[in-house]
Amino acid sequence: MALNQRNSSRILILLAAFLLLTCVSPLPETPTRHTDTLKILLSSLDGTIKLVIRKSQYTMVLYKGDTPVKTYPAAFGRGYGDGDKQRMGDRRTPEGDFYICTMNHSKRFYKFLGLSYPGLKHAEEGVRSGMISSDEYAMIKKAIEERSSPPWETRLGGAVGIHGRTVVVGDAPRVSFDINWTDGCIALDNADVDEIYRVVSLGTPVTILP
């Protein structure tokens, strides 16, 4: 209880300082300035950074330790209503515990933070059902143990990650959060992807809940 009270006090102090700064500062707000403030807030809290995604709430929450710091609206795969991801092409967003295994500038989407899908849970079910071979299972298991990127070319699918809107010529429309439109990824608005990209790192835990 004392730890939560201390964290809450730190948050209130930093938020008050930020509001005071923005009231007196003549400079316009920018995504970078917001991110810098977020970094200061995160540095004041104990624990490690993690992301918790709740499909039923269409949200992604940034945590530091046990403290929820910021919530972002999110959209998911077009197969949302069918539950957990099972195979390549089912357009479902997977559920379970993962980690960020790649961070790059995608040619198709605005930035991309790849997730460690398929994880062991999906690989175990896949080899039980005969969807993947024992050799493919071994490769997935080894990658998870090494905290690297698991193979994305098996029948279980892959290349699931967090990204922004599609990259098109000109000004692309904002991500729609009232409809699931991806092939299984988690879509955020570009400004939110920028912010997340600057505070997470390879290995950051990501939990996806129904």
Side-chain angles (χ1 to χ4, degrees):
M1 180 66 70
L3 179 61
N4 288 337
Q5 289 176 343
R6 186 167 73 245
N7 286 342
S8 297
S9 298
R10 288 175 177 174
I11 293 173
L12 289 173
I13 292 171
L14 284 166
L15 286 177
F18 174 65
L19 289 174
L20 178 62
L21 175 64
T22 55
C23 286
V24 301
S25 173
L27 298 175
E29 290 299 328
T30 66
T32 299
R33 292 183 67 203
H34 281 302
T35 304
D36 289 343
T37 303
L38 178 62
K39 284 185 173 182
I40 294 171
L41 176 56
L42 290 171
S43 68
S44 74
L45 300 173
D46 297 323
T48 58
I49 291 175
K50 63 183 177 182
L51 301 174
V52 177
I53 296 164
R54 291 178 173 84
K55 292 162 64 175
S56 60
Q57 297 179 18
Y58 294 89
T59 60
M60 183 179 78
V61 182
L62 172 66
Y63 278 79
K64 182 72 179 293
D66 295 327
T67 304
V69 177
K70 188 167 182 178
T71 299
Y72 303 88
F76 306 106
R78 282 173 277 187
Y80 167 82
D82 296 325
D84 193 7
K85 187 171 183 62
Q86 297 180 359
R87 60 178 59 85
M88 181 182 292
D90 63 10
R91 294 180 173 178
R92 302 176 187 180
T93 299
E95 299 166 4
D97 294 318
F98 308 97
Y99 54 86
I100 295 174
C101 60
T102 64
M103 297 177 66
N104 55 63
H105 294 268
S106 169
K107 292 182 179 180
R108 183 181 178 192
F109 298 105
Y110 184 79
K111 296 187 177 178
F112 187 84
L113 297 99
L115 301 183
S116 58
Y117 172 88
L120 278 181
K121 176 187 72 169
H122 298 91
E124 288 168 358
E125 178 59 32
V127 76
R128 254 194 317 267
S129 66
M131 187 174 296
I132 62 172
S133 67
S134 57
D135 287 343
E136 289 173 322
Y137 170 81
M139 288 191 293
I140 294 171
K141 185 173 185 294
K142 184 174 185 292
I144 299 301
E145 290 173 346
E146 295 175 348
R147 304 289 284 182
S148 60
S149 179
W152 288 346
E153 302 82 16
T154 73
R155 292 173 63 194
L156 294 175
V160 174
I162 301 166
H163 61 68
R165 55 185 181 261
T166 55
V167 177
V168 297
V169 176
D171 188 20
R174 292 173 65 85
V175 169
S176 172
F177 298 111
D178 57 359
I179 185 171
N180 291 303
W181 58 271
T182 77
D183 287 335
C185 291
I186 299 93
L188 307 178
D189 193 60
N190 287 4
D192 294 339
V193 174
D194 277 332
E195 189 166 85
I196 289 295
Y197 206 91
R198 295 188 66 203
V199 299
V200 301
S201 59
L202 294 176
T204 296
V206 179
T207 297
I208 305 178
L209 302 173

